[in-house]
Amino acid sequence: MRLLELHRREQARERAIAGEDWRESGFVFTSPVGEPLVPSTDYGTWKRLLADAKVRDGRLHDARHTSATVLLILGVPERVVMQIMGWSSTAMAARYQHVTGGILADVAQRVGGLIWEVAKEPDESGAEGSAGSR
């Protein structure tokens, strides 16, 4: 409710700025002049953004997959990812988060470090130091 109230205030500002150009459509989410949103509105802006950034072409929806995967790489807890992404089901993580080669390599390195832990160099007394257990 709080977010809808904030949106309503912002839309009132847009209505005042648009003045006579405002078109009352009855929709909650509208363009800055009150017209219904067109699903393809962001398409051109998205394509220009990709071109300007010199990154590969992709769908706007692909950005959700990228965002979710970046959160996985950063190790953000699943419940936090769910909140950020607006998911109500953990099944969405399986759909949007992609396990990358880098993630697998990091896990392999950490497991290898536990299994093949290198003994520490001998201390001054000549006794070999212990790497300790983890």
mmCIF file of all heavy atoms in Angstrom, residues 55-93:
data_model
loop_
_atom_site.group_PDB
_atom_site.id
_atom_site.type_symbol
_atom_site.label_atom_id
_atom_site.label_comp_id
_atom_site.label_asym_id
_atom_site.label_seq_id
_atom_site.Cartn_x
_atom_site.Cartn_y
_atom_site.Cartn_z
ATOM 1 N N VAL A 55 27.750 -3.857 -25.391
ATOM 2 C CA VAL A 55 27.560 -5.231 -24.912
ATOM 3 C C VAL A 55 26.671 -5.967 -25.907
ATOM 4 O O VAL A 55 25.980 -5.348 -26.719
ATOM 5 C CB VAL A 55 26.951 -5.290 -23.487
ATOM 6 C CG1 VAL A 55 27.881 -4.654 -22.476
ATOM 7 C CG2 VAL A 55 25.598 -4.618 -23.444
ATOM 8 N N ARG A 56 26.684 -7.278 -25.816
ATOM 9 C CA ARG A 56 25.921 -8.086 -26.774
ATOM 10 C C ARG A 56 24.426 -7.766 -26.690
ATOM 11 O O ARG A 56 23.915 -7.373 -25.647
ATOM 12 C CB ARG A 56 26.176 -9.570 -26.556
ATOM 13 C CG ARG A 56 25.549 -10.120 -25.279
ATOM 14 C CD ARG A 56 25.681 -11.647 -25.241
ATOM 15 N NE ARG A 56 25.222 -12.184 -24.000
ATOM 16 C CZ ARG A 56 23.940 -12.384 -23.681
ATOM 17 N NH1 ARG A 56 22.992 -12.067 -24.506
ATOM 18 N NH2 ARG A 56 23.619 -12.901 -22.507
ATOM 19 N N ASP A 57 23.768 -7.973 -27.787
ATOM 20 C CA ASP A 57 22.334 -7.750 -27.855
ATOM 21 C C ASP A 57 21.610 -8.784 -27.003
ATOM 22 O O ASP A 57 22.088 -9.908 -26.832
ATOM 23 C CB ASP A 57 21.870 -7.852 -29.304
ATOM 24 C CG ASP A 57 20.439 -7.378 -29.496
ATOM 25 O OD1 ASP A 57 19.988 -6.509 -28.721
ATOM 26 O OD2 ASP A 57 19.767 -7.877 -30.409
ATOM 27 N N GLY A 58 20.507 -8.413 -26.446
ATOM 28 C CA GLY A 58 19.717 -9.330 -25.640
ATOM 29 C C GLY A 58 18.356 -8.739 -25.356
ATOM 30 O O GLY A 58 18.115 -7.549 -25.565
ATOM 31 N N ARG A 59 17.487 -9.591 -24.875
ATOM 32 C CA ARG A 59 16.144 -9.131 -24.503
ATOM 33 C C ARG A 59 16.203 -8.442 -23.140
ATOM 34 O O ARG A 59 17.063 -8.769 -22.314
ATOM 35 C CB ARG A 59 15.185 -10.318 -24.411
ATOM 36 C CG ARG A 59 15.034 -11.114 -25.689
ATOM 37 C CD ARG A 59 14.249 -12.388 -25.447
ATOM 38 N NE ARG A 59 14.920 -13.186 -24.437
ATOM 39 C CZ ARG A 59 14.322 -14.060 -23.632
ATOM 40 N NH1 ARG A 59 13.033 -14.245 -23.702
ATOM 41 N NH2 ARG A 59 15.006 -14.744 -22.752
ATOM 42 N N LEU A 60 15.300 -7.539 -22.907
ATOM 43 C CA LEU A 60 15.220 -6.876 -21.606
ATOM 44 C C LEU A 60 15.010 -7.911 -20.511
ATOM 45 O O LEU A 60 15.598 -7.834 -19.430
ATOM 46 C CB LEU A 60 14.095 -5.844 -21.601
ATOM 47 C CG LEU A 60 13.908 -5.029 -20.318
ATOM 48 C CD1 LEU A 60 15.187 -4.306 -19.930
ATOM 49 C CD2 LEU A 60 12.769 -4.037 -20.484
ATOM 50 N N HIS A 61 14.222 -8.935 -20.803
ATOM 51 C CA HIS A 61 13.969 -9.996 -19.823
ATOM 52 C C HIS A 61 15.254 -10.730 -19.444
ATOM 53 O O HIS A 61 15.384 -11.229 -18.327
ATOM 54 C CB HIS A 61 12.933 -10.977 -20.353
ATOM 55 C CG HIS A 61 12.534 -12.008 -19.365
ATOM 56 N ND1 HIS A 61 11.726 -11.729 -18.277
ATOM 57 C CD2 HIS A 61 12.865 -13.317 -19.251
ATOM 58 C CE1 HIS A 61 11.563 -12.833 -17.560
ATOM 59 N NE2 HIS A 61 12.252 -13.809 -18.131
ATOM 60 N N ASP A 62 16.214 -10.798 -20.382
ATOM 61 C CA ASP A 62 17.499 -11.449 -20.082
ATOM 62 C C ASP A 62 18.204 -10.761 -18.918
ATOM 63 O O ASP A 62 18.974 -11.393 -18.195
ATOM 64 C CB ASP A 62 18.411 -11.440 -21.311
ATOM 65 C CG ASP A 62 17.863 -12.284 -22.449
ATOM 66 O OD1 ASP A 62 17.066 -13.218 -22.180
ATOM 67 O OD2 ASP A 62 18.222 -12.013 -23.608
ATOM 68 N N ALA A 63 17.948 -9.475 -18.737
ATOM 69 C CA ALA A 63 18.572 -8.731 -17.632
ATOM 70 C C ALA A 63 18.138 -9.292 -16.283
ATOM 71 O O ALA A 63 18.901 -9.249 -15.315
ATOM 72 C CB ALA A 63 18.236 -7.248 -17.729
ATOM 73 N N ARG A 64 16.925 -9.831 -16.202
ATOM 74 C CA ARG A 64 16.479 -10.452 -14.945
ATOM 75 C C ARG A 64 17.300 -11.700 -14.646
ATOM 76 O O ARG A 64 17.688 -11.944 -13.509
ATOM 77 C CB ARG A 64 14.989 -10.806 -14.995
ATOM 78 C CG ARG A 64 14.092 -9.589 -14.891
ATOM 79 C CD ARG A 64 12.628 -9.950 -14.757
ATOM 80 N NE ARG A 64 12.296 -10.716 -13.575
ATOM 81 C CZ ARG A 64 12.151 -10.232 -12.343
ATOM 82 N NH1 ARG A 64 12.351 -8.952 -12.126
ATOM 83 N NH2 ARG A 64 11.805 -11.006 -11.344
ATOM 84 N N HIS A 65 17.567 -12.492 -15.679
ATOM 85 C CA HIS A 65 18.404 -13.675 -15.491
ATOM 86 C C HIS A 65 19.814 -13.264 -15.054
ATOM 87 O O HIS A 65 20.385 -13.862 -14.141
ATOM 88 C CB HIS A 65 18.478 -14.495 -16.788
ATOM 89 C CG HIS A 65 17.215 -15.214 -17.113
ATOM 90 N ND1 HIS A 65 17.011 -16.526 -16.781
ATOM 91 C CD2 HIS A 65 16.090 -14.799 -17.740
ATOM 92 C CE1 HIS A 65 15.798 -16.900 -17.196
ATOM 93 N NE2 HIS A 65 15.233 -15.866 -17.783
ATOM 94 N N THR A 66 20.350 -12.251 -15.712
ATOM 95 C CA THR A 66 21.699 -11.766 -15.367
ATOM 96 C C THR A 66 21.727 -11.265 -13.935
ATOM 97 O O THR A 66 22.638 -11.610 -13.168
ATOM 98 C CB THR A 66 22.134 -10.651 -16.333
ATOM 99 O OG1 THR A 66 22.132 -11.179 -17.667
ATOM 100 C CG2 THR A 66 23.508 -10.129 -15.988
ATOM 101 N N SER A 67 20.745 -10.473 -13.550
ATOM 102 C CA SER A 67 20.698 -9.940 -12.187
ATOM 103 C C SER A 67 20.626 -11.053 -11.156
ATOM 104 O O SER A 67 21.348 -11.043 -10.160
ATOM 105 C CB SER A 67 19.490 -9.015 -12.016
ATOM 106 O OG SER A 67 19.579 -7.928 -12.891
ATOM 107 N N ALA A 68 19.768 -12.024 -11.399
ATOM 108 C CA ALA A 68 19.622 -13.142 -10.464
ATOM 109 C C ALA A 68 20.913 -13.946 -10.370
ATOM 110 O O ALA A 68 21.320 -14.367 -9.275
ATOM 111 C CB ALA A 68 18.461 -14.044 -10.888
ATOM 112 N N THR A 69 21.590 -14.143 -11.496
ATOM 113 C CA THR A 69 22.835 -14.907 -11.498
ATOM 114 C C THR A 69 23.943 -14.140 -10.788
ATOM 115 O O THR A 69 24.731 -14.728 -10.039
ATOM 116 C CB THR A 69 23.238 -15.270 -12.945
ATOM 117 O OG1 THR A 69 22.181 -16.047 -13.522
ATOM 118 C CG2 THR A 69 24.532 -16.062 -12.980
ATOM 119 N N VAL A 70 24.008 -12.828 -10.982
ATOM 120 C CA VAL A 70 25.005 -12.008 -10.281
ATOM 121 C C VAL A 70 24.792 -12.114 -8.770
ATOM 122 O O VAL A 70 25.751 -12.241 -8.008
ATOM 123 C CB VAL A 70 24.958 -10.547 -10.763
ATOM 124 C CG1 VAL A 70 25.737 -9.622 -9.834
ATOM 125 C CG2 VAL A 70 25.498 -10.440 -12.184
ATOM 126 N N LEU A 71 23.550 -12.088 -8.328
ATOM 127 C CA LEU A 71 23.269 -12.226 -6.896
ATOM 128 C C LEU A 71 23.729 -13.591 -6.386
ATOM 129 O O LEU A 71 24.243 -13.705 -5.273
ATOM 130 C CB LEU A 71 21.784 -12.007 -6.622
ATOM 131 C CG LEU A 71 21.282 -10.576 -6.890
ATOM 132 C CD1 LEU A 71 19.761 -10.519 -6.790
ATOM 133 C CD2 LEU A 71 21.925 -9.582 -5.947
ATOM 134 N N LEU A 72 23.584 -14.635 -7.209
ATOM 135 C CA LEU A 72 24.072 -15.970 -6.849
ATOM 136 C C LEU A 72 25.595 -15.957 -6.726
ATOM 137 O O LEU A 72 26.155 -16.466 -5.754
ATOM 138 C CB LEU A 72 23.630 -16.988 -7.906
ATOM 139 C CG LEU A 72 24.158 -18.420 -7.749
ATOM 140 C CD1 LEU A 72 23.601 -19.067 -6.487
ATOM 141 C CD2 LEU A 72 23.798 -19.243 -8.979
ATOM 142 N N ILE A 73 26.274 -15.360 -7.696
ATOM 143 C CA ILE A 73 27.736 -15.280 -7.687
ATOM 144 C C ILE A 73 28.226 -14.531 -6.446
ATOM 145 O O ILE A 73 29.225 -14.911 -5.836
ATOM 146 C CB ILE A 73 28.253 -14.606 -8.972
ATOM 147 C CG1 ILE A 73 28.015 -15.527 -10.173
ATOM 148 C CG2 ILE A 73 29.734 -14.237 -8.857
ATOM 149 C CD1 ILE A 73 28.209 -14.861 -11.519
ATOM 150 N N LEU A 74 27.495 -13.495 -6.056
ATOM 151 C CA LEU A 74 27.867 -12.711 -4.871
ATOM 152 C C LEU A 74 27.568 -13.434 -3.569
ATOM 153 O O LEU A 74 27.962 -12.976 -2.495
ATOM 154 C CB LEU A 74 27.151 -11.357 -4.890
ATOM 155 C CG LEU A 74 27.582 -10.388 -5.991
ATOM 156 C CD1 LEU A 74 26.697 -9.151 -5.967
ATOM 157 C CD2 LEU A 74 29.044 -10.011 -5.835
ATOM 158 N N GLY A 75 26.861 -14.555 -3.652
ATOM 159 C CA GLY A 75 26.548 -15.322 -2.446
ATOM 160 C C GLY A 75 25.424 -14.724 -1.619
ATOM 161 O O GLY A 75 25.317 -14.986 -0.424
ATOM 162 N N VAL A 76 24.559 -13.943 -2.253
ATOM 163 C CA VAL A 76 23.435 -13.333 -1.539
ATOM 164 C C VAL A 76 22.467 -14.445 -1.132
ATOM 165 O O VAL A 76 22.110 -15.293 -1.955
ATOM 166 C CB VAL A 76 22.730 -12.288 -2.434
ATOM 167 C CG1 VAL A 76 21.499 -11.718 -1.754
ATOM 168 C CG2 VAL A 76 23.705 -11.177 -2.824
ATOM 169 N N PRO A 77 22.055 -14.481 0.137
ATOM 170 C CA PRO A 77 21.125 -15.525 0.595
ATOM 171 C C PRO A 77 19.839 -15.556 -0.242
ATOM 172 O O PRO A 77 19.341 -14.513 -0.668
ATOM 173 C CB PRO A 77 20.829 -15.137 2.048
ATOM 174 C CG PRO A 77 21.995 -14.296 2.459
ATOM 175 C CD PRO A 77 22.432 -13.563 1.216
ATOM 176 N N GLU A 78 19.328 -16.763 -0.448
ATOM 177 C CA GLU A 78 18.164 -16.949 -1.319
ATOM 178 C C GLU A 78 16.967 -16.093 -0.904
ATOM 179 O O GLU A 78 16.281 -15.525 -1.748
ATOM 180 C CB GLU A 78 17.762 -18.420 -1.345
ATOM 181 C CG GLU A 78 16.690 -18.712 -2.381
ATOM 182 C CD GLU A 78 16.427 -20.190 -2.518
ATOM 183 O OE1 GLU A 78 15.621 -20.709 -1.722
ATOM 184 O OE2 GLU A 78 17.026 -20.814 -3.408
ATOM 185 N N ARG A 79 16.720 -15.978 0.387
ATOM 186 C CA ARG A 79 15.567 -15.170 0.836
ATOM 187 C C ARG A 79 15.742 -13.703 0.464
ATOM 188 O O ARG A 79 14.768 -13.024 0.138
ATOM 189 C CB ARG A 79 15.337 -15.332 2.337
ATOM 190 C CG ARG A 79 14.824 -16.731 2.684
ATOM 191 C CD ARG A 79 14.350 -16.860 4.110
ATOM 192 N NE ARG A 79 13.383 -15.881 4.532
ATOM 193 C CZ ARG A 79 12.060 -15.955 4.320
ATOM 194 N NH1 ARG A 79 11.567 -16.978 3.668
ATOM 195 N NH2 ARG A 79 11.262 -15.021 4.767
ATOM 196 N N VAL A 80 16.968 -13.230 0.496
ATOM 197 C CA VAL A 80 17.235 -11.836 0.109
ATOM 198 C C VAL A 80 17.055 -11.690 -1.402
ATOM 199 O O VAL A 80 16.460 -10.712 -1.868
ATOM 200 C CB VAL A 80 18.647 -11.394 0.556
ATOM 201 C CG1 VAL A 80 18.956 -9.984 0.084
ATOM 202 C CG2 VAL A 80 18.786 -11.508 2.071
ATOM 203 N N VAL A 81 17.544 -12.667 -2.162
ATOM 204 C CA VAL A 81 17.368 -12.648 -3.618
ATOM 205 C C VAL A 81 15.873 -12.631 -3.946
ATOM 206 O O VAL A 81 15.429 -11.859 -4.802
ATOM 207 C CB VAL A 81 18.054 -13.864 -4.285
ATOM 208 C CG1 VAL A 81 17.701 -13.929 -5.768
ATOM 209 C CG2 VAL A 81 19.562 -13.798 -4.093
ATOM 210 N N MET A 82 15.106 -13.452 -3.241
ATOM 211 C CA MET A 82 13.660 -13.503 -3.475
ATOM 212 C C MET A 82 13.023 -12.133 -3.244
ATOM 213 O O MET A 82 12.173 -11.700 -4.024
ATOM 214 C CB MET A 82 13.009 -14.551 -2.575
ATOM 215 C CG MET A 82 13.327 -15.977 -2.984
ATOM 216 S SD MET A 82 12.650 -17.210 -1.851
ATOM 217 C CE MET A 82 10.892 -16.881 -2.008
ATOM 218 N N GLN A 83 13.451 -11.446 -2.209
ATOM 219 C CA GLN A 83 12.904 -10.120 -1.906
ATOM 220 C C GLN A 83 13.279 -9.121 -3.005
ATOM 221 O O GLN A 83 12.435 -8.371 -3.493
ATOM 222 C CB GLN A 83 13.439 -9.643 -0.547
ATOM 223 C CG GLN A 83 12.947 -8.282 -0.132
ATOM 224 C CD GLN A 83 11.486 -8.275 0.249
ATOM 225 O OE1 GLN A 83 10.969 -9.267 0.742
ATOM 226 N NE2 GLN A 83 10.817 -7.170 0.019
ATOM 227 N N ILE A 84 14.556 -9.124 -3.390
ATOM 228 C CA ILE A 84 15.026 -8.186 -4.410
ATOM 229 C C ILE A 84 14.316 -8.426 -5.743
ATOM 230 O O ILE A 84 13.886 -7.479 -6.407
ATOM 231 C CB ILE A 84 16.551 -8.320 -4.594
ATOM 232 C CG1 ILE A 84 17.282 -7.798 -3.359
ATOM 233 C CG2 ILE A 84 17.027 -7.588 -5.847
ATOM 234 C CD1 ILE A 84 18.768 -8.128 -3.322
ATOM 235 N N MET A 85 14.191 -9.693 -6.122
ATOM 236 C CA MET A 85 13.626 -10.038 -7.429
ATOM 237 C C MET A 85 12.099 -10.057 -7.437
ATOM 238 O O MET A 85 11.486 -10.135 -8.493
ATOM 239 C CB MET A 85 14.161 -11.398 -7.890
ATOM 240 C CG MET A 85 15.676 -11.472 -8.037
ATOM 241 S SD MET A 85 16.377 -10.337 -9.254
ATOM 242 C CE MET A 85 15.711 -10.994 -10.769
ATOM 243 N N GLY A 86 11.486 -10.012 -6.245
ATOM 244 C CA GLY A 86 10.028 -10.016 -6.171
ATOM 245 C C GLY A 86 9.418 -11.394 -6.333
ATOM 246 O O GLY A 86 8.290 -11.527 -6.793
ATOM 247 N N TRP A 87 10.157 -12.422 -5.950
ATOM 248 C CA TRP A 87 9.679 -13.795 -6.079
ATOM 249 C C TRP A 87 8.990 -14.237 -4.798
ATOM 250 O O TRP A 87 9.411 -13.908 -3.704
ATOM 251 C CB TRP A 87 10.830 -14.761 -6.338
ATOM 252 C CG TRP A 87 11.624 -14.496 -7.569
ATOM 253 C CD1 TRP A 87 11.213 -13.854 -8.699
ATOM 254 C CD2 TRP A 87 12.989 -14.864 -7.794
ATOM 255 N NE1 TRP A 87 12.234 -13.820 -9.614
ATOM 256 C CE2 TRP A 87 13.331 -14.425 -9.089
ATOM 257 C CE3 TRP A 87 13.946 -15.528 -7.037
ATOM 258 C CZ2 TRP A 87 14.594 -14.625 -9.630
ATOM 259 C CZ3 TRP A 87 15.195 -15.732 -7.581
ATOM 260 C CH2 TRP A 87 15.518 -15.286 -8.865
ATOM 261 N N SER A 88 7.946 -15.050 -4.937
ATOM 262 C CA SER A 88 7.282 -15.609 -3.761
ATOM 263 C C SER A 88 7.601 -17.097 -3.617
ATOM 264 O O SER A 88 7.232 -17.710 -2.626
ATOM 265 C CB SER A 88 5.768 -15.404 -3.854
ATOM 266 O OG SER A 88 5.269 -16.021 -5.022
ATOM 267 N N SER A 89 8.275 -17.664 -4.612
ATOM 268 C CA SER A 89 8.586 -19.087 -4.602
ATOM 269 C C SER A 89 10.077 -19.305 -4.847
ATOM 270 O O SER A 89 10.669 -18.666 -5.716
ATOM 271 C CB SER A 89 7.784 -19.790 -5.705
ATOM 272 O OG SER A 89 8.298 -21.080 -5.948
ATOM 273 N N THR A 90 10.655 -20.239 -4.111
ATOM 274 C CA THR A 90 12.068 -20.559 -4.312
ATOM 275 C C THR A 90 12.301 -21.223 -5.667
ATOM 276 O O THR A 90 13.427 -21.234 -6.163
ATOM 277 C CB THR A 90 12.598 -21.487 -3.193
ATOM 278 O OG1 THR A 90 11.811 -22.677 -3.173
ATOM 279 C CG2 THR A 90 12.534 -20.807 -1.842
ATOM 280 N N ALA A 91 11.247 -21.737 -6.282
ATOM 281 C CA ALA A 91 11.378 -22.357 -7.604
ATOM 282 C C ALA A 91 11.861 -21.344 -8.639
ATOM 283 O O ALA A 91 12.494 -21.717 -9.630
ATOM 284 C CB ALA A 91 10.046 -22.963 -8.039
ATOM 285 N N MET A 92 11.598 -20.075 -8.410
ATOM 286 C CA MET A 92 12.022 -19.047 -9.354
ATOM 287 C C MET A 92 13.544 -18.944 -9.403
ATOM 288 O O MET A 92 14.111 -18.619 -10.447
ATOM 289 C CB MET A 92 11.412 -17.690 -8.995
ATOM 290 C CG MET A 92 9.893 -17.682 -9.077
ATOM 291 S SD MET A 92 9.268 -18.193 -10.682
ATOM 292 C CE MET A 92 9.587 -16.737 -11.620
ATOM 293 N N ALA A 93 14.209 -19.231 -8.288
ATOM 294 C CA ALA A 93 15.674 -19.197 -8.274
ATOM 295 C C ALA A 93 16.228 -20.217 -9.261
ATOM 296 O O ALA A 93 17.169 -19.925 -10.008
ATOM 297 C CB ALA A 93 16.206 -19.456 -6.868
#
